[in-house]
């Protein structure tokens, strides 16, 4: 039976800077969905159309929201940076806390404050674009490793683009 993991805490921080944790201000983070690209084929003499899956993914858009005004985000906004989305998951059967990490290289290109209300902390949303590197691990096990410039797309340790790189030479 697969483990039942429950998310218990999150953090977002700059990967290259110590003391950049947002653990006490982070409201939520969004690990982007992985959507594989498809090539549609509808043969004139066939009985059905097929969307063939390619070893390529759609653009990633991770995001995070904080409570209060995070002025540090404006430093480097619009420029490429490396970030860590961290999570703690509890294995509900064993009670053990499991680390999860997403390493993201991209550009924070969108800042959107929530409606203001003095009786509640104002939240701010931050969205990444131009993501060129994404890796996701749970308990030190690599689930995804995707790098645009390396032309690597690994899922669960299997490089789905290796044959393409070899064929192209």
């Amino acid at each position: 039976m697969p483990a039942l993991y429950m998310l218990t805490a999150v953090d977002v921080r700059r990967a290259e800077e110590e003391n950049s944790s947002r653990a006490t201000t982070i409201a939520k983070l969004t690990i982007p969905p992985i959507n594989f690209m498809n090539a549609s084929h509808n043969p004139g003499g066939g009985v059905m159309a097929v969307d063939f899956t390619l070893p390529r993914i759609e653009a990633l858009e991770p995001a995070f929201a904080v409570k209060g005004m995070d002025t540090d985000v404006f430093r480097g906004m619009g420029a490429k940076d490396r970030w860590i989305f961290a999570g703690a998951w509890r294995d509900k059967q064993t009670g053990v806390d499991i680390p999860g990490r997403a390493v993201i290289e991209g550009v924070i290109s969108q800042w959107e404050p929530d409606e203001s209300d003095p009786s509640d902390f104002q939240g701010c949303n931050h969205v990444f674009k131009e993501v060129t590197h994404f890796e996701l691990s749970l308990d030190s096990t690599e689930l995804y490793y995707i790098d645009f410039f390396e032309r690597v797309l690994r899922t669960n340790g299997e490089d789905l683009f290796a044959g393409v790189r070899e064929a192209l030479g």
Side-chain angles (χ1 to χ4, degrees):
M1 173 185 293
L4 175 60
Y5 296 117
M6 181 177 170
L7 183 64
T8 58
V10 294
D11 188 16
V12 172
R13 58 186 175 263
R14 293 179 192 272
E16 312 300 329
E17 289 183 24
E18 292 185 28
N19 303 318
S20 64
S21 171
R22 288 164 172 75
T24 58
T25 59
I26 188 83
K28 62 183 174 181
L29 57 82
T30 303
I31 303 269
I34 306 292
N35 295 316
F36 281 85
M37 304 285 293
N38 296 293
S40 295
H41 178 57
N42 189 3
V47 297
M48 65 185 285
V50 176
D51 287 341
F52 288 103
T53 302
L54 301 170
R56 176 181 313 165
I57 64 166
E58 295 177 0
L60 300 174
E61 290 188 13
F64 68 95
V66 297
K67 290 296 185 181
M69 182 69 74
D70 184 347
T71 58
D72 179 64
V73 164
F74 294 100
R75 180 175 51 93
M77 189 170 174
K80 186 175 175 179
D81 204 349
R82 192 171 177 95
W83 293 80
I84 294 177
F85 283 22
W89 279 267
R90 175 155 298 160
D91 183 325
K92 294 306 288 180
Q93 186 173 7
T94 66
V96 174
D97 291 313
I98 305 295
R101 298 288 180 272
V103 178
I104 299 160
E105 280 185 21
V107 175
I108 295 180
S109 67
Q110 181 180 340
W111 173 76
E112 179 184 0
D114 292 342
E115 293 180 6
S116 298
D117 180 349
S119 67
D120 192 15
F121 270 110
Q122 180 183 30
C124 296
N125 301 304
H126 308 84
V127 178
F128 288 81
K129 298 280 189 174
E130 198 180 319
V131 174
T132 57
H133 180 90
F134 177 78
E135 54 188 272
L136 178 65
S137 64
L138 185 62
D139 199 17
S140 301
T141 299
E142 178 184 277
L143 302 176
Y144 279 104
Y145 180 95
I146 306 162
D147 193 286
F148 175 82
F149 294 109
E150 294 175 11
R151 296 183 323 148
V152 172
L153 171 58
R154 283 195 309 259
T155 178
N156 205 33
E158 180 183 351
D159 189 343
L160 303 178
F161 208 73
V164 175
R165 286 193 312 276
E166 184 177 328
L168 291 174

